[in-house]
Amino acid sequence: MTSKQECNSNISPESCLALIRKSLKSKNMDSEGGHFDGNMPHLFVVLGASGDLAKKKIYPTLWWLFRDNLLPTETVFYGYARSKLTIDELKQQCHQYMKVKPEEEERYEQFWNLNQYFAGQYDSRKDFEMLNQELLVHERGVPKANRLFYLALPPSVFEPVTVHIKNACMGQKGWTRIIIEKPFGRDAATSAKLSDHLASLFSEEQIYRIDHYLGKEMVQNLMTLRFSNRIFGPTWNRDNIASVQITFKEPFGTHGRGGYFDTFGIIRDVMQNHLLQILSLVAMEKPATVHPDDIRNEKVKVLRSIRELTQDDVIIGQYVGDPEGTGEAKYGYLDDETVVNKDSVTPTYALAVLNINNERWDGVPFILRCGKALNERKAEVRIQYRDVPGDIFEGKPKRNELVIRVQPGEALYLKLMCKTPGMTFDMEETELDLTYGSRYKDAKLPDAYERLILDVFCGSQMHFVRSDELREAWRIFTPLLHDIEESKIKPTQYKYGSRGPPEADQFLREHNYIYSGSYKWIQPSHL
């Protein structure tokens, strides 16, 4: 493969980069990354360029990729939004999120010199035709050029925008790819409507539904952990594993985002997408190859083996203020000014137990737990093993757990029992610990959006959500969501800064997850 050949969906982005770099070095070129398609221009269009997502995530990500020479050298950036802005005004709005070091100032100016901004309406074909004329100017005189459109937009304008892209802005000299942010609908029906709409305009290979959790280091590590280590394979089943818990916790409330959050709730915002995607990676069978479709085929098989959830499978909660707390902690969800409905029953906490009806996992509860205004910030997977049969230590051993911490502070550790050092024959819980901050001190872990946007340039859909995955995910959750809304089920209250509703701990015990509270993780020393 030469640098003039397009990276395709049959190889990972890491392999793509390695091949490109090898090709560049063979031509005595100094820059890493460089061209993905020779000298072919890439036009990256950010729709919704004046919005929070673009300013806080998309533009910073594009800058970091550009700074590190990971983008094709002939890449230019176009912002499109209704707001009438200059590039200098857009730059000023983004600057606090860009993390620019003093020695990078010259490179930073080069990045913004490659940016243009176009003000237009989302429902105007004429404005998109004018945008297309701007894009054609940059493509003039070259045999091929690729276009990427990032929809950093509210779902309400997805349909007109995608219609106008199809009718007025498709690349005529190369490929066109569309990146779409969640939410991908509110339930099975609205998601199917959106999927059908997109399918009428673009092929599945052109659509990149982004779930940024699939770009996180430890989530991507699940495949390697499971399928390249003999030690885990024989025990990764119902005979050895008691339960699997996948957790997402935030120590803050809605922070003035109640208007958006009250429309969706924690189940739609986190559980139905982020946590279910992680579940499918933990539970899937080994794919035939690392081809993106082979991996996604196995994920879909897992989801198809999960029945629809009911009220009996969940605990939902809503946080209230802590009278003894300080600052925001004094206020509950309904105290948020942006929550218009002061009788809202929208859950800010949810714990759901899913069962996978297949030979490997029959009888093993997969527990998804997520919430706001809890006691800590954490996202992790806990695989808890069964009790040791024939215990000779009079019940002292605690269960082994394999913990995969996604954030903060990426880590992988295995909790096990060990004799306490010294003369006595006591035992204690300890761990085999791979904390990235200690083991990989100098490693730069890219932001999830960096990986995923680079994937789109490479044409790898491995870490993006396919339409049938989305359909199965909504099938599992839609009956429950409708039941909660139609019955106006009142969530259990829990105090801001707590571990969540007290009933949740009992629910965990009933589903074979044992929390002893005796284990203390010790931060490894940075020697």
Side-chain angles (χ1 to χ4, degrees):
M1 176 176 178
T2 70
S3 62
K4 292 185 178 180
Q5 291 176 295
E6 178 184 348
C7 295
N8 58 57
S9 60
N10 293 322
I11 64 173
S12 70
E14 292 81 4
S15 300
C16 176
L17 277 176
L19 288 169
I20 292 167
R21 288 168 177 164
K22 182 178 179 181
S23 174
L24 291 172
K25 288 177 181 178
S26 70
K27 296 180 182 180
N28 296 317
M29 297 176 69
D30 294 326
S31 65
E32 281 195 333
H35 306 73
F36 279 57
D37 301 271
N39 292 316
M40 185 185 301
H42 286 70
L43 286 67
F44 195 103
V45 182
V46 182
L47 296 153
S50 63
D52 274 357
L53 177 62
K55 290 184 290 190
K56 294 178 180 179
K57 284 293 183 184
I58 310 309
Y59 277 105
T61 300
L62 293 172
W63 151 239
W64 299 330
L65 290 170
F66 176 82
R67 175 197 63 194
D68 296 337
N69 297 311
L70 293 174
L71 295 179
T73 54
E74 294 296 321
T75 300
V76 294
F77 312 96
Y78 288 81
Y80 182 100
R82 289 176 292 209
S83 305
K84 296 186 183 299
L85 297 175
T86 65
I87 283 295
D88 284 341
E89 289 170 333
L90 180 62
K91 176 183 174 183
Q92 186 176 359
Q93 292 179 11
C94 295
H95 186 73
Q96 62 180 307
Y97 308 107
M98 305 292 266
K99 301 178 183 178
V100 183
K101 298 177 183 177
E103 63 270 22
E104 297 168 348
E105 286 292 345
E106 183 178 350
R107 184 74 172 156
Y108 186 60
E109 292 304 318
Q110 291 173 3
F111 169 75
W112 283 108
N113 287 338
L114 293 171
N115 275 267
Q116 296 189 44
Y117 183 86
F118 187 89
Q121 299 298 311
Y122 298 129
D123 58 355
S124 168
R125 173 163 178 164
K126 180 180 179 182
D127 286 349
F128 277 84
E129 288 173 344
M130 292 175 68
L131 170 65
N132 186 54
Q133 293 304 311
E134 296 284 334
L135 302 180
L136 288 172
V137 169
H138 193 81
E139 295 176 344
R140 190 174 297 151
V142 297
K144 293 188 71 178
N146 298 324
R147 296 183 179 185
L148 302 87
F149 293 88
Y150 199 118
L151 273 63
L153 296 166
S156 58
V157 296
F158 277 4
E159 291 196 12
V161 166
T162 48
V163 167
H164 292 318
I165 291 173
K166 177 65 175 180
N167 291 337
C169 288
M170 296 293 285
Q172 302 302 311
K173 297 183 175 184
W175 48 252
T176 299
R177 291 171 183 161
I178 313 296
I179 309 170
I180 299 177
E181 276 276 353
K182 76 174 183 73
F184 311 120
R186 296 191 76 255
D187 54 19
T190 55
S191 177
K193 182 174 180 288
L194 177 59
S195 290
D196 290 345
H197 170 78
L198 292 172
S200 71
L201 301 172
F202 312 107
S203 68
E204 186 67 30
E205 290 71 26
Q206 293 175 300
I207 303 169
Y208 290 72
R209 299 174 187 85
I210 196 166
D211 182 335
H212 75 274
Y213 252 67
L214 292 179
K216 289 188 175 290
E217 179 74 24
M218 296 309 293
V219 174
Q220 296 206 335
N221 201 12
L222 279 167
M223 284 267 298
T224 305
L225 177 70
R226 285 197 56 194
F227 302 124
S228 67
N229 293 293
R230 174 65 177 163
I231 190 172
F232 295 119
T235 64
W236 210 267
N237 53 52
R238 64 190 301 271
D239 297 325
N240 297 282
I241 293 175
S243 59
V244 177
Q245 183 177 196
I246 304 170
T247 299
F248 175 94
K249 301 169 73 175
E250 290 181 328
F252 49 82
T254 49
H255 271 317
R257 289 180 64 244
Y260 163 83
F261 188 86
D262 204 53
T263 305
F264 290 92
I266 198 70
I267 295 175
R268 289 185 177 93
D269 197 39
V270 176
M271 186 178 285
Q272 180 271 341
N273 39 69
H274 302 333
L275 301 192
L276 195 64
Q277 283 290 319
I278 295 175
L279 178 150
S280 65
L281 289 169
V282 171
M284 73 180 191
E285 298 298 319
K286 182 188 287 188
T289 71
V290 293
H291 185 283
D293 277 335
D294 286 339
I295 293 168
R296 295 193 292 181
N297 288 343
E298 295 301 333
K299 289 168 66 181
V300 169
K301 287 180 186 177
V302 169
L303 297 178
R304 285 178 177 164
S305 299
I306 301 173
R307 64 170 174 78
E308 295 87 348
L309 291 173
T310 69
Q311 286 189 46
D312 293 337
D313 301 313
V314 300
I315 298 286
I316 58 173
Q318 188 183 91
Y319 70 87
V320 295
D322 180 1
E324 299 178 1
T326 59
E328 187 190 349
K330 286 180 174 292
Y331 304 101
Y333 175 69
L334 298 180
D335 298 322
D336 187 333
E337 296 178 345
T338 58
V339 177
V340 178
N341 178 13
K342 296 307 176 183
D343 295 319
S344 172
V345 293
T346 298
T348 61
Y349 174 98
L351 186 155
V353 177
L354 289 76
N355 293 283
I356 301 172
N357 184 30
N358 64 19
E359 185 175 3
R360 181 181 295 274
W361 297 114
D362 186 27
V364 178
F366 279 73
I367 302 160
L368 306 185
R369 185 168 64 127
C370 54
K372 290 184 171 293
L374 296 175
N375 61 324
E376 60 184 336
R377 175 176 178 256
K378 183 167 68 175
E380 67 179 14
V381 181
R382 287 182 176 266
I383 291 104
Q384 190 170 93
Y385 284 80
R386 293 185 178 276
D387 296 315
V388 176
D391 175 28
I392 62 173
F393 295 105
E394 300 176 344
K396 293 179 183 178
K398 303 294 193 299
R399 286 180 168 180
N400 298 140
E401 277 189 351
L402 177 64
V403 182
I404 303 157
R405 192 166 63 233
V406 177
Q407 68 180 28
E410 293 85 350
L412 171 67
Y413 60 96
L414 179 64
K415 290 168 55 177
L416 45 75
M417 301 304 298
C418 184
K419 177 188 172 296
T420 305
M423 294 294 288
T424 64
F425 199 71
D426 293 331
M427 62 175 61
E428 65 179 12
E429 293 173 278
T430 185
E431 70 282 323
L432 298 176
D433 191 354
L434 170 58
T435 298
Y436 273 46
S438 299
R439 176 65 178 82
Y440 303 113
K441 293 179 184 178
D442 300 322
K444 177 189 176 294
L445 299 182
D447 180 84
Y449 276 91
E450 288 184 81
R451 294 180 189 276
L452 296 175
I453 288 179
L454 190 58
D455 279 357
V456 182
F457 276 93
C458 284
S460 173
Q461 294 184 305
M462 181 186 301
H463 306 302
F464 292 84
V465 182
R466 204 168 63 186
S467 59
D468 51 352
E469 285 183 80
L470 192 59
R471 182 172 61 249
E472 291 301 321
W474 279 119
R475 175 190 61 78
I476 294 166
F477 280 94
T478 292
L480 171 67
L481 289 165
H482 285 178
D483 197 11
I484 290 173
E485 291 164 353
E486 292 167 7
S487 304
K488 297 193 180 301
I489 300 169
K490 192 171 180 61
T492 302
Q493 293 184 341
Y494 65 96
K495 190 181 294 185
Y496 194 118
S498 67
R499 295 183 63 247
E503 295 88 340
D505 289 334
Q506 177 60 31
F507 202 62
L508 288 172
R509 286 191 290 270
E510 291 171 0
H511 290 89
N512 209 13
Y513 181 83
I514 297 176
Y515 173 73
S516 65
S518 58
Y519 171 76
K520 303 295 182 187
W521 182 76
I522 300 175
Q523 176 73 36
S525 59
H526 293 260
L527 298 178

